[in-house]
Amino acid sequence: MKKVISFTEEQVLQMKYILNGVTTTGIQNAKQVAAIAQVLDSGIPGEIKEPEKKEGEG
């Protein structure tokens, strides 16, 4: 099984906008990274069952 973390569309958009605004230096950058980490931490862990391989397949 593959391990996955699920996020809502709103969470993904929030991370996108924060990442687009990340600067290269300064305390503001640390605050943005902390906000991203908080969103990532709120993801929902789960698993995806991989399809069974049939005989003769790679």
Side-chain angles (χ1 to χ4, degrees):
M1 288 197 178
K2 289 185 179 183
K3 302 277 184 187
V4 297
I5 300 177
S6 300
F7 298 98
T8 65
E9 184 177 358
E10 182 179 303
Q11 289 171 318
V12 173
L13 289 173
Q14 181 181 10
M15 287 185 285
K16 173 187 166 186
Y17 295 131
I18 293 171
L19 284 170
N20 282 339
V22 169
T23 58
T24 55
T25 60
I27 193 69
Q28 185 62 31
N29 188 37
K31 289 179 182 177
Q32 290 168 327
V33 171
I36 294 167
Q38 186 177 11
V39 173
L40 289 173
D41 194 44
S42 69
I44 301 168
E47 295 180 345
I48 295 178
K49 229 180 185 181
E50 293 185 41
E52 294 181 21
K53 291 185 178 181
K54 295 180 183 174
E55 263 187 59
E57 286 186 8

